[in-house]
Amino acid sequence: MLSILILGLLVGLQHATEADHLAAVASLTTRSRNLRDAARLGSAWGLGHTLTLLLFGGGVLLVGGSIHAEVALWLEAGVGVMLVLLGADVLRRLWRQRVHFHSHRHGPQTHFHAHSHAAQKVDEANHADDPHRHSHRASLPWRSLLVGMMHGMAGSAALIVFALASVQSPWQGLAYIAVFGIGSIV
């Protein structure tokens, strides 16, 4: 049992670095100002992914069924559409906020980043007066959670097939899915 759970954790860690997952989380974190905010959004995505896997995957495991291949394809297509919409939203925000790229100094440190002066003219901006710091109210990042849940629905079919082949009981399968989810959150 322990070897199956370790495998689930490692596969979950690897799974979270797949291109579609990175694209989704990257588009969600474009609004974050620091690593802590980005980690919070990524964790919410991973939690949503895990909740859906446990709900759908666990349900299928407990009744001893499977997810029909055509349903799995429709769910994967839904994730593809969602990724296109997330990317389009990033491009829309870049255009609306008149984002530009530049480098400048804050004390001894020089850095390069994307920046917007949507409320003022770009040529009138004074970078010394704009430290690029402000706070946001910390709340549950619902958007990240919902995007993660959509991703979890699409990934349920493949995970169930693997879990069914690797475990001896539905409860071991649920434990595998939970540990897999923890790996994807990490």
Side-chain angles (χ1 to χ4, degrees):
M1 172 79 175
L2 183 60
S3 60
I4 293 294
L5 296 179
I6 291 171
L7 178 64
L9 180 67
L10 294 174
V11 172
L13 288 166
Q14 184 273 331
H15 179 73
T17 62
E18 292 176 3
D20 63 326
H21 295 93
L22 292 176
V25 174
S27 71
L28 294 167
T29 60
T30 57
R31 293 180 175 147
S32 58
R33 294 279 184 187
N34 56 46
L35 183 59
R36 183 178 176 180
D37 287 343
R40 189 171 67 82
L41 292 170
S43 295
W45 175 90
L47 179 63
H49 189 272
T50 302
L51 289 173
T52 306
L53 287 176
L54 282 170
L55 182 68
F56 285 98
V60 170
L61 280 173
L62 289 173
V63 299
S66 64
I67 296 175
H68 192 274
E70 189 171 319
V71 172
L73 285 174
W74 278 105
L75 291 171
E76 291 289 343
V79 168
V81 169
M82 179 187 64
L83 289 173
V84 169
L85 292 174
L86 286 170
D89 181 54
V90 170
L91 293 175
R92 179 192 61 81
R93 283 186 284 124
L94 288 172
W95 179 74
R96 287 188 74 199
Q97 296 172 3
R98 296 187 356 220
V99 171
H100 63 280
F101 300 89
H102 65 180
S103 65
H104 66 268
R105 290 184 165 269
H106 291 287
Q109 183 180 8
T110 300
H111 63 259
F112 177 82
H113 66 107
H115 186 72
S116 173
H117 297 284
Q120 52 187 310
K121 292 183 181 177
V122 175
D123 55 348
E124 293 177 3
N126 182 351
H127 295 291
D129 294 338
D130 184 8
H132 310 289
R133 295 183 188 163
H134 62 278
S135 61
H136 293 273
R137 187 174 60 103
S139 63
L140 181 63
W142 288 103
R143 184 175 187 209
S144 294
L145 185 75
L146 293 173
V147 169
M149 290 177 78
M150 181 66 183
H151 253 114
M153 272 195 291
S156 297
L159 182 62
I160 302 307
V161 170
F162 185 77
L164 284 174
S166 304
V167 298
Q168 288 130 8
S169 77
W171 301 110
Q172 280 185 345
L174 285 172
Y176 175 87
I177 292 171
V179 172
F180 174 92
I182 290 168
S184 70
I185 292 169
V186 171

